[in-house]
Amino acid sequence: AHASGELLAPMPGRVVKVAVAVGDTVERGGPVMIVEAMKMENELQAPVAGVVRSIAVQAGDTVDANQVLCVIEPLPAA
């Protein structure tokens, strides 16, 4: 788990679907995007609960391992 809200690509692949938009509120573990790697689709989940601040990729983009895919600004601790 990351303390920061950066969602990183776990492996090289291709973005199949982006399930959030900038400004969306997401729960920790909620679906953010799907990346296809080695003919398998991997659902990437939000590392923290918060607000999506930026999305660096779109469907069809090829990504490298550890590339920042999106940034989620963590919600203040309750």
Side-chain angles (χ1 to χ4, degrees), residues 10-16 34-42 62-63 65:
M11 62 193 77
R14 184 177 59 84
V15 178
V16 175
I34 296 174
V35 174
E36 181 184 292
M38 298 180 291
K39 300 192 189 233
M40 290 181 53
E41 291 189 355
N42 301 286
T62 300
V63 297

PDB file of all heavy atoms in Angstrom, residues 10-16 34-42 62-63 65:
ATOM      1  N   PRO A  10       1.681  -1.748 -12.423  1.00  0.00           N
ATOM      2  CA  PRO A  10       2.432  -2.840 -11.808  1.00  0.00           C
ATOM      3  C   PRO A  10       3.360  -3.539 -12.798  1.00  0.00           C
ATOM      4  O   PRO A  10       4.315  -4.198 -12.399  1.00  0.00           O
ATOM      5  CB  PRO A  10       1.346  -3.789 -11.316  1.00  0.00           C
ATOM      6  CG  PRO A  10       0.169  -3.508 -12.190  1.00  0.00           C
ATOM      7  CD  PRO A  10       0.259  -2.062 -12.566  1.00  0.00           C
ATOM      8  N   MET A  11       3.072  -3.385 -14.106  1.00  0.00           N
ATOM      9  CA  MET A  11       3.861  -4.055 -15.142  1.00  0.00           C
ATOM     10  C   MET A  11       3.588  -3.343 -16.455  1.00  0.00           C
ATOM     11  O   MET A  11       2.614  -2.604 -16.554  1.00  0.00           O
ATOM     12  CB  MET A  11       3.452  -5.519 -15.245  1.00  0.00           C
ATOM     13  CG  MET A  11       2.000  -5.717 -15.640  1.00  0.00           C
ATOM     14  SD  MET A  11       1.406  -7.397 -15.404  1.00  0.00           S
ATOM     15  CE  MET A  11       1.161  -7.425 -13.640  1.00  0.00           C
ATOM     16  N   PRO A  12       4.436  -3.560 -17.472  1.00  0.00           N
ATOM     17  CA  PRO A  12       4.134  -2.957 -18.770  1.00  0.00           C
ATOM     18  C   PRO A  12       2.838  -3.537 -19.325  1.00  0.00           C
ATOM     19  O   PRO A  12       2.531  -4.712 -19.088  1.00  0.00           O
ATOM     20  CB  PRO A  12       5.327  -3.382 -19.646  1.00  0.00           C
ATOM     21  CG  PRO A  12       6.372  -3.870 -18.710  1.00  0.00           C
ATOM     22  CD  PRO A  12       5.670  -4.328 -17.469  1.00  0.00           C
ATOM     23  N   GLY A  13       2.090  -2.731 -20.045  1.00  0.00           N
ATOM     24  CA  GLY A  13       0.837  -3.218 -20.615  1.00  0.00           C
ATOM     25  C   GLY A  13       0.129  -2.127 -21.388  1.00  0.00           C
ATOM     26  O   GLY A  13       0.718  -1.127 -21.770  1.00  0.00           O
ATOM     27  N   ARG A  14      -1.186  -2.348 -21.592  1.00  0.00           N
ATOM     28  CA  ARG A  14      -2.001  -1.403 -22.348  1.00  0.00           C
ATOM     29  C   ARG A  14      -3.251  -1.091 -21.536  1.00  0.00           C
ATOM     30  O   ARG A  14      -3.895  -1.985 -21.002  1.00  0.00           O
ATOM     31  CB  ARG A  14      -2.401  -2.027 -23.691  1.00  0.00           C
ATOM     32  CG  ARG A  14      -3.168  -1.087 -24.615  1.00  0.00           C
ATOM     33  CD  ARG A  14      -3.470  -1.754 -25.957  1.00  0.00           C
ATOM     34  NE  ARG A  14      -4.264  -2.967 -25.814  1.00  0.00           N
ATOM     35  CZ  ARG A  14      -5.598  -2.977 -25.715  1.00  0.00           C
ATOM     36  NH1 ARG A  14      -6.281  -1.863 -25.735  1.00  0.00           N
ATOM     37  NH2 ARG A  14      -6.238  -4.129 -25.585  1.00  0.00           N
ATOM     38  N   VAL A  15      -3.572   0.200 -21.445  1.00  0.00           N
ATOM     39  CA  VAL A  15      -4.765   0.620 -20.712  1.00  0.00           C
ATOM     40  C   VAL A  15      -5.998   0.221 -21.519  1.00  0.00           C
ATOM     41  O   VAL A  15      -6.125   0.581 -22.682  1.00  0.00           O
ATOM     42  CB  VAL A  15      -4.756   2.144 -20.465  1.00  0.00           C
ATOM     43  CG1 VAL A  15      -6.026   2.580 -19.744  1.00  0.00           C
ATOM     44  CG2 VAL A  15      -3.519   2.546 -19.663  1.00  0.00           C
ATOM     45  N   VAL A  16      -6.884  -0.563 -20.902  1.00  0.00           N
ATOM     46  CA  VAL A  16      -8.112  -1.007 -21.555  1.00  0.00           C
ATOM     47  C   VAL A  16      -9.256  -0.046 -21.231  1.00  0.00           C
ATOM     48  O   VAL A  16     -10.040   0.320 -22.093  1.00  0.00           O
ATOM     49  CB  VAL A  16      -8.494  -2.437 -21.108  1.00  0.00           C
ATOM     50  CG1 VAL A  16      -9.827  -2.857 -21.699  1.00  0.00           C
ATOM     51  CG2 VAL A  16      -7.398  -3.416 -21.485  1.00  0.00           C
ATOM     52  N   ILE A  34      -8.322  -0.472 -15.847  1.00  0.00           N
ATOM     53  CA  ILE A  34      -7.973  -1.843 -16.213  1.00  0.00           C
ATOM     54  C   ILE A  34      -6.795  -1.774 -17.185  1.00  0.00           C
ATOM     55  O   ILE A  34      -6.849  -1.039 -18.175  1.00  0.00           O
ATOM     56  CB  ILE A  34      -9.167  -2.577 -16.845  1.00  0.00           C
ATOM     57  CG1 ILE A  34     -10.293  -2.709 -15.813  1.00  0.00           C
ATOM     58  CG2 ILE A  34      -8.743  -3.948 -17.378  1.00  0.00           C
ATOM     59  CD1 ILE A  34     -11.584  -3.288 -16.360  1.00  0.00           C
ATOM     60  N   VAL A  35      -5.738  -2.518 -16.855  1.00  0.00           N
ATOM     61  CA  VAL A  35      -4.553  -2.597 -17.714  1.00  0.00           C
ATOM     62  C   VAL A  35      -4.398  -4.046 -18.163  1.00  0.00           C
ATOM     63  O   VAL A  35      -4.451  -4.962 -17.344  1.00  0.00           O
ATOM     64  CB  VAL A  35      -3.284  -2.121 -16.969  1.00  0.00           C
ATOM     65  CG1 VAL A  35      -2.041  -2.344 -17.816  1.00  0.00           C
ATOM     66  CG2 VAL A  35      -3.411  -0.649 -16.589  1.00  0.00           C
ATOM     67  N   GLU A  36      -4.236  -4.240 -19.468  1.00  0.00           N
ATOM     68  CA  GLU A  36      -4.029  -5.578 -20.013  1.00  0.00           C
ATOM     69  C   GLU A  36      -2.534  -5.824 -20.138  1.00  0.00           C
ATOM     70  O   GLU A  36      -1.804  -5.011 -20.691  1.00  0.00           O
ATOM     71  CB  GLU A  36      -4.689  -5.668 -21.391  1.00  0.00           C
ATOM     72  CG  GLU A  36      -4.548  -7.028 -22.039  1.00  0.00           C
ATOM     73  CD  GLU A  36      -5.131  -7.049 -23.444  1.00  0.00           C
ATOM     74  OE1 GLU A  36      -6.365  -6.928 -23.568  1.00  0.00           O
ATOM     75  OE2 GLU A  36      -4.356  -7.165 -24.394  1.00  0.00           O
ATOM     76  N   ALA A  37      -2.091  -6.949 -19.574  1.00  0.00           N
ATOM     77  CA  ALA A  37      -0.682  -7.342 -19.662  1.00  0.00           C
ATOM     78  C   ALA A  37      -0.644  -8.849 -19.843  1.00  0.00           C
ATOM     79  O   ALA A  37      -1.349  -9.578 -19.147  1.00  0.00           O
ATOM     80  CB  ALA A  37       0.063  -6.935 -18.402  1.00  0.00           C
ATOM     81  N   MET A  38       0.152  -9.321 -20.766  1.00  0.00           N
ATOM     82  CA  MET A  38       0.276 -10.754 -21.038  1.00  0.00           C
ATOM     83  C   MET A  38      -1.095 -11.401 -21.258  1.00  0.00           C
ATOM     84  O   MET A  38      -1.399 -12.461 -20.720  1.00  0.00           O
ATOM     85  CB  MET A  38       1.040 -11.452 -19.916  1.00  0.00           C
ATOM     86  CG  MET A  38       2.462 -10.942 -19.767  1.00  0.00           C
ATOM     87  SD  MET A  38       3.387 -11.741 -18.454  1.00  0.00           S
ATOM     88  CE  MET A  38       2.553 -11.119 -17.011  1.00  0.00           C
ATOM     89  N   LYS A  39      -1.953 -10.736 -22.029  1.00  0.00           N
ATOM     90  CA  LYS A  39      -3.289 -11.215 -22.389  1.00  0.00           C
ATOM     91  C   LYS A  39      -4.232 -11.383 -21.191  1.00  0.00           C
ATOM     92  O   LYS A  39      -5.241 -12.064 -21.292  1.00  0.00           O
ATOM     93  CB  LYS A  39      -3.209 -12.516 -23.191  1.00  0.00           C
ATOM     94  CG  LYS A  39      -2.425 -12.343 -24.469  1.00  0.00           C
ATOM     95  CD  LYS A  39      -2.606 -13.522 -25.375  1.00  0.00           C
ATOM     96  CE  LYS A  39      -1.651 -13.377 -26.501  1.00  0.00           C
ATOM     97  NZ  LYS A  39      -1.845 -13.409 -27.763  1.00  0.00           N
ATOM     98  N   MET A  40      -3.877 -10.784 -20.061  1.00  0.00           N
ATOM     99  CA  MET A  40      -4.766 -10.813 -18.897  1.00  0.00           C
ATOM    100  C   MET A  40      -5.126  -9.386 -18.527  1.00  0.00           C
ATOM    101  O   MET A  40      -4.276  -8.501 -18.582  1.00  0.00           O
ATOM    102  CB  MET A  40      -4.077 -11.481 -17.699  1.00  0.00           C
ATOM    103  CG  MET A  40      -3.896 -12.972 -17.879  1.00  0.00           C
ATOM    104  SD  MET A  40      -3.107 -13.744 -16.452  1.00  0.00           S
ATOM    105  CE  MET A  40      -4.134 -13.201 -15.117  1.00  0.00           C
ATOM    106  N   GLU A  41      -6.393  -9.172 -18.146  1.00  0.00           N
ATOM    107  CA  GLU A  41      -6.812  -7.848 -17.711  1.00  0.00           C
ATOM    108  C   GLU A  41      -6.663  -7.753 -16.199  1.00  0.00           C
ATOM    109  O   GLU A  41      -7.133  -8.618 -15.464  1.00  0.00           O
ATOM    110  CB  GLU A  41      -8.252  -7.569 -18.139  1.00  0.00           C
ATOM    111  CG  GLU A  41      -8.375  -7.411 -19.634  1.00  0.00           C
ATOM    112  CD  GLU A  41      -9.739  -6.926 -20.081  1.00  0.00           C
ATOM    113  OE1 GLU A  41     -10.649  -6.796 -19.234  1.00  0.00           O
ATOM    114  OE2 GLU A  41      -9.896  -6.682 -21.287  1.00  0.00           O
ATOM    115  N   ASN A  42      -5.987  -6.700 -15.752  1.00  0.00           N
ATOM    116  CA  ASN A  42      -5.741  -6.479 -14.331  1.00  0.00           C
ATOM    117  C   ASN A  42      -6.477  -5.217 -13.901  1.00  0.00           C
ATOM    118  O   ASN A  42      -6.232  -4.145 -14.449  1.00  0.00           O
ATOM    119  CB  ASN A  42      -4.238  -6.296 -14.075  1.00  0.00           C
ATOM    120  CG  ASN A  42      -3.448  -7.502 -14.526  1.00  0.00           C
ATOM    121  OD1 ASN A  42      -3.470  -8.529 -13.883  1.00  0.00           O
ATOM    122  ND2 ASN A  42      -2.773  -7.383 -15.658  1.00  0.00           N
ATOM    123  N   THR A  62      -0.167   2.683 -24.136  1.00  0.00           N
ATOM    124  CA  THR A  62       0.771   1.674 -23.659  1.00  0.00           C
ATOM    125  C   THR A  62       1.511   2.274 -22.465  1.00  0.00           C
ATOM    126  O   THR A  62       1.899   3.449 -22.506  1.00  0.00           O
ATOM    127  CB  THR A  62       1.769   1.302 -24.770  1.00  0.00           C
ATOM    128  OG1 THR A  62       1.024   0.782 -25.875  1.00  0.00           O
ATOM    129  CG2 THR A  62       2.753   0.246 -24.293  1.00  0.00           C
ATOM    130  N   VAL A  63       1.674   1.479 -21.404  1.00  0.00           N
ATOM    131  CA  VAL A  63       2.337   1.984 -20.198  1.00  0.00           C
ATOM    132  C   VAL A  63       3.534   1.112 -19.839  1.00  0.00           C
ATOM    133  O   VAL A  63       3.589  -0.068 -20.192  1.00  0.00           O
ATOM    134  CB  VAL A  63       1.351   2.054 -19.002  1.00  0.00           C
ATOM    135  CG1 VAL A  63       0.232   3.044 -19.292  1.00  0.00           C
ATOM    136  CG2 VAL A  63       0.774   0.695 -18.670  1.00  0.00           C
ATOM    137  N   ALA A  65       6.210  -0.319 -16.680  1.00  0.00           N
ATOM    138  CA  ALA A  65       6.157  -0.666 -15.259  1.00  0.00           C
ATOM    139  C   ALA A  65       6.527   0.562 -14.428  1.00  0.00           C
ATOM    140  O   ALA A  65       7.426   1.323 -14.796  1.00  0.00           O
ATOM    141  CB  ALA A  65       7.103  -1.814 -14.966  1.00  0.00           C
TER     142      ALA A  65
END
